[in-house]
Amino acid sequence: MPLADTMRPQRIEEVVGQRHILGEGKVLTRIMESNILPNMIFYGPSGTGKSTVAKIIAKNTDKQFFRLNATTISLSDMKEVMKEADSLLGSNGVLLFLDEIQYLNKKQQQSLLDYIETGRVTLIASTTENPYFYVYSAILSRSTVFEFKPITGDDILPVLRRGIVYAKEHLQIDASVTEAALNHIAQGCGGDVRKALNALELCLYAGAKQNNQVIVDKDLAKQFTQQSIQRFDRSGDEHYDTLSGLQKSIRGSDPDAALHYLGRLLAGGDMLSAIRRLLVIAAEDIGLAYPQAISITKACVDSALQIGLPEARIPLAEAVVLLATAPKSDSAYKGIAKAMEDIQNGKGIGYPRCVQNQHTDGEGGSLGQNYRNPHSYALHYVEQNYMPEDLIGRQYYVYGENKTEQAAKSYWKAVKTKNENR
C-alpha cells in the first residue's frame, strides 16, 4: 500500500491543516460531535483531506456507508445505493460519499434529490471545482459547503517526519533525510499532502545507500518534486484563480505578487493565457493614465512569442513590472461598459444628421448635413451634438484622477471656455 494511504489519519485530530473548520469549537468539528449530519459538500484542491474527513465521519456514524466516484459511476450504480436506502440494512439511513461530484450530469444529480429531501440518504460530496458553478442548484441549496484550503509547507513537515519513522519501523528502511530535502518536498508539493508523501516514498526507494542507510538529500528530492511545484489545470478553477491573481496584483500595484502569479502560469506552461491577460490589463487597468503602456506591453508580448520559453519569461516579467508600477485608470473601461449597457437596453435610436455619412435624403433632393468640421475652427473645436436624440447629455467617460487625464481635462476645459466666450 502506498505510504500516503498507509498514513491516512484515522482520527480528526490527526488531519493536517483545515483548522478553520476542524479546529476546536469550529463548525465542522461541532457537527461531528453532535452526531447529526447535514448534507455537505467538501470543496478544495486534491490532497487536502476531503476524502479523509469523510471516512472519519463515516466511522463515527451508524449509517450504512457507500463511496462512489462520479468519474466512473452510472445511473444504475446510483439506483443500487438508493435500493439499499429503502432496505432494512439502511434503516438508520445511508451515508453516501460521492467523490468528484462535478462529473455527474444534471439527471444523475437530480436522481439524488428525493432521497436527500426525505433524509434516507445523507450526502457528503467532494469536488475540486467551485460547487456554485458545477453542482445542481437544488442539491446545493440542501447542502452546507465547506472549503478545504491548500496545506502549508510547515504543516506538511511533521507528516513527512512521521513517514520516515513509519518507513523505518514497518518497511525496514533506515533513512537519513536532510532538512533541506524535507523542506524542499514540503514546500514543493503545492499544498498536497499526498504528493508530498509520494515524493518522500520515491526518495526512500531511490536514494543511494551508505552502510545500509538510504541517503536522501536535496538534489534527490528535487528530482521527484520538480513537476509538483504548483497545481495547474488549464480548465480548472485554479487556472482562473491564477489569472485573477495576476490581474488583481497588477491593479493593486504589487509587482512582487504579480511576478509570482506570472511565474505560476509560466511554470504550468501557459504563456498564451498570461499574454492575453497582460494585453487586457494594459487597456483595462492602466488605460489613459499611461497610454504608452499598451504599446510597450505589445512589444514585450511580441518578443516573448518570438523568443519562446524559458527566455520569454524576461520580457513578460518586464511587462508585468511596468504595468504593476504604472499609474492606474479604468476610465475608458467604465465608459465603454456604460455605453454597452445603454445599447443592450435599447437606447441610442438613429443618428444625429450631422454624423451620418453624406448621402441624399430623398428622391430628387438633398438635405444638408449641417456638419461643422472642427478642423475649420480655432483650436480644432466647435460645439455640436453627436449623440442620438434619446441620449443627449449622457456621460460615459469621466476623467481619471491621474496626471495624463487631468492634463487633458484642463486642456479641453480651456478650449471650451474660449469657444463659449466668442
Side-chain angles (χ1 to χ4, degrees), residues 8 23 47 63 71 78 86 109 125 130 133 136 138 163 183 188 199 238 259 263 287 292 319 321 327 341 359 368 419:
R8 188 184 292 272
K63 298 179 183 292
T71 60
M78 301 275 286
D86 291 330
Q109 292 189 37
N130 191 327
F133 297 150
Y136 183 45
N183 281 309
E238 294 200 17
L259 286 170
Q292 299 93 327
V321 173
E341 182 180 3
H359 56 79
N419 184 73

Side-chain angles (χ1 to χ4, degrees), residues 111-354:
S111 68
L112 287 168
L113 275 180
D114 181 50
Y115 288 85
I116 289 174
E117 288 175 331
T118 59
R120 286 175 288 177
V121 171
T122 300
L123 175 68
I124 300 179
S126 77
T127 175
T128 56
E129 305 292 350
N130 191 327
Y132 297 100
F133 297 150
Y134 290 91
V135 178
Y136 183 45
S137 58
I139 289 181
L140 200 59
S141 67
R142 292 162 176 79
S143 306
T144 303
V145 177
F146 293 97
E147 182 178 2
F148 283 63
K149 298 180 179 180
I151 312 299
T152 68
D154 289 342
D155 284 335
I156 292 173
L157 276 172
V159 180
L160 295 177
R161 292 193 174 100
R162 290 201 300 270
I164 295 170
V165 172
Y166 180 89
K168 184 175 183 177
E169 294 178 352
H170 298 278
L171 305 178
Q172 286 75 52
I173 299 176
D174 184 16
S176 173
V177 185
T178 66
E179 281 298 307
L182 279 179
N183 281 309
H184 184 82
I185 295 171
Q187 301 296 336
C189 66
D192 188 326
V193 178
R194 188 185 304 113
K195 276 187 178 181
L197 285 170
N198 287 343
L200 174 64
E201 185 174 21
L202 288 170
C203 288
L204 294 177
Y205 285 115
K209 285 189 176 183
Q210 292 181 8
N211 300 323
N212 293 322
Q213 187 179 54
V214 176
I215 306 299
V216 178
D217 58 16
K218 186 176 179 179
D219 288 339
L220 182 64
K222 282 183 177 180
Q223 296 179 43
F224 292 109
T225 57
Q226 59 182 348
Q227 297 302 321
S228 304
I229 293 173
Q230 292 292 342
R231 296 182 180 86
F232 199 84
D233 179 356
R234 294 192 191 190
S235 62
D237 286 344
E238 294 200 17
H239 168 68
Y240 297 104
D241 287 345
T242 306
L243 288 170
S244 179
L246 175 65
Q247 181 158 7
K248 288 174 180 172
S249 299
I250 290 175
R251 184 183 297 155
S253 303
D254 187 337
D256 300 307
L259 286 170
H260 168 76
Y261 291 113
L262 173 67
R264 285 171 72 156
L265 288 165
L266 298 182
D270 192 7
M271 184 174 72
L272 291 180
S273 291
I275 283 173
R276 286 193 293 267
R277 188 58 64 102
L278 289 175
L279 290 169
V280 170
I281 292 168
E284 179 180 343
D285 295 304
I286 285 73
L288 295 169
Y290 183 35
Q292 299 93 327
I294 194 164
S295 299
I296 298 171
T297 301
K298 179 64 164 60
C300 291
V301 162
D302 288 344
S303 296
L305 290 171
Q306 287 181 325
I307 296 169
L309 288 171
E311 289 86 354
R313 71 189 189 280
I314 302 169
L316 292 179
E318 182 178 336
V320 162
V321 173
L322 172 82
L323 296 175
T325 56
K328 306 296 188 295
S329 173
D330 64 349
S331 56
Y333 168 78
K334 286 181 176 177
I336 188 61
K338 289 179 183 177
M340 294 297 293
E341 182 180 3
D342 277 351
I343 292 165
Q344 289 167 1
N345 290 331
K347 297 180 181 178
I349 300 171
Y351 305 88
R353 185 69 186 91
C354 69

